Amino acid sequence: MVAGPRQPFRPERPAGGRRGGEELLSIGAVLAFLRDDFPEVTISKIRFLEAEGLVEPQRTPSGYRKFSPADVERLAYVLRMQRDHYLPLRVIREHLDAIERGESPPALPPSADARPGPLEEADRELGVSAEGTSGVRLGRAELLAAAEAGESELAEWESYGLVAPGPDGGFDGEALQVARLVSELGRYGLQPRHLRAMKAAAEREIALVEQVVAPLRRHRNPQTRAHAEATARELATLSVRLHAAMVQAGLRSRP
C-alpha cells in the first residue's frame, strides 16, 4: 500500500457506506481530510488526478464517487510528490506502479526549499500537459467544474478563441489546461481581452513549429511521422522555456 498522509487515515464521519469493512468517503470528505496537509488541493484537482488514472474511486449507481482509504493514500502520495519533489505525473505513476508490485520506487530528488523558478514551472506545467492530456475528453459541465469557472466565463473565452470545443462538442486535455490557466490569470485581474497577445504569439510559434515538422509528418514512414510528433513536443518545450526566460529577464531588468 502506498505511504499515506502524515496522520493515520481515520475519518470521523464516513460518508458513503462501506466496502469489505472499509469506510468509503465522498469527494467532499476526501477534500476536507487532504486539506490538513495540502491546503491548495481542490475538488477539480482530485477529479483531474482521477482523469489521469492515478486514482480509481468507486461509483454509486447514481454516479457519485466513493473513495476508499487506499484511494486517499494514493492521492496524498501524488500530492506530496508534486509539492515536495516537483515530479511530473508520468514519474509519479511509475512510483505507484512499483509500489503496487511490492518494489521500491526510484530514488527521490532532494526536497526543494523554495518554489521553483519560471523555467522549472514551465517545464513542469508542459510536462503534465504532454503526458497526461492525451485521451482526456470532457463535456462542457465537466470542463467548467475542472476550471472552477462559470458558463459566462467559458463563453467569453470561446469568443476570444482561447478555448474551443472539438467537432463532437467535447473538450480535450489541452483545452482543459488552457481553461485552468486562463481561470487562474483571471484571479489576478487579467481578462480574456488581455490575453489576445498571448494567443497571437502562440499562433506564431505554432507556425514556426509547423515549418519544421510538416515535411516529416507527410512522410510515408510511420517512424518518421512519429519522430515529427516527438520533435513538435520538444520544440514546444523549448518555446515555453524561452518565453519564461525572456519574461523573467525582462522583469529583473525593470527598476
Side-chain angles (χ1 to χ4, degrees):
M1 185 174 290
V2 177
R6 287 194 292 269
Q7 298 298 323
F9 181 80
R10 297 192 184 97
E12 296 180 2
R13 288 180 293 178
R18 294 174 178 269
R19 179 184 64 184
E22 291 183 331
E23 303 288 1
L24 298 180
L25 273 72
S26 67
I27 193 170
V30 171
L31 177 66
F33 179 78
L34 290 174
R35 274 187 169 166
D36 289 342
D37 281 339
F38 309 99
E40 74 284 356
V41 71
T42 62
I43 284 180
S44 64
K45 174 72 171 183
I46 295 173
R47 288 172 175 163
F48 177 73
L49 295 177
E50 179 190 357
E52 301 305 306
L54 292 162
V55 64
E56 297 181 1
Q58 291 189 77
R59 292 279 186 157
T60 66
S62 55
Y64 290 103
R65 297 170 176 84
K66 296 300 175 184
F67 295 80
S68 70
D71 294 329
V72 179
E73 290 179 1
R74 286 178 68 91
L75 286 170
Y77 186 90
V78 173
L79 295 170
R80 187 174 299 109
M81 292 302 102
Q82 287 188 313
R83 181 193 65 192
D84 297 346
H85 301 284
Y86 306 110
L87 296 184
L89 295 184
R90 173 181 55 79
V91 175
I92 296 174
R93 188 177 291 109
E94 292 172 357
H95 281 227
L96 291 170
D97 290 344
I99 292 170
E100 289 294 329
R101 294 192 301 267
E103 303 170 359
S104 297
L108 293 171
S111 297
D113 294 329
R115 183 179 178 84
L119 293 181
E120 291 79 6
E121 285 285 5
D123 284 343
R124 178 185 174 195
E125 187 66 37
L126 190 62
V128 169
S129 299
E131 75 185 77
T133 56
S134 60
V136 174
R137 206 69 191 164
L138 302 174
R140 197 172 187 86
E142 292 174 308
L143 182 74
L144 291 174
E148 299 181 340
E151 175 62 39
S152 61
E153 292 174 290
L154 178 54
E156 187 176 14
W157 300 344
E158 290 174 317
S159 71
Y160 282 95
L162 300 174
V163 179
D168 62 352
F171 296 87
D172 60 19
E174 285 74 20
L176 169 61
Q177 292 295 317
V178 170
R180 292 175 64 194
L181 291 169
V182 171
S183 179
E184 287 292 328
L185 288 169
R187 295 186 177 98
Y188 291 89
L190 293 176
Q191 301 302 314
R193 66 178 184 276
H194 301 139
L195 305 181
R196 286 180 294 186
M198 294 184 184
K199 171 69 173 175
E203 290 174 347
R204 289 193 293 270
E205 292 171 16
I206 292 169
L208 289 174
V209 172
E210 284 294 329
Q211 288 180 20
V212 176
V213 302
L216 299 175
R217 283 176 169 164
R218 290 194 295 267
H219 205 280
R220 293 182 179 180
N221 189 326
Q223 292 182 338
T224 302
R225 293 198 299 271
H227 176 63
E229 299 308 316
T231 300
R233 288 194 297 271
E234 178 65 20
L235 290 173
T237 300
L238 292 173
S239 176
V240 170
R241 294 181 65 188
L242 176 61
H243 178 82
M246 287 180 168
V247 171
Q248 181 183 34
L251 291 173
R252 284 180 175 174
S253 66
R254 296 299 174 106

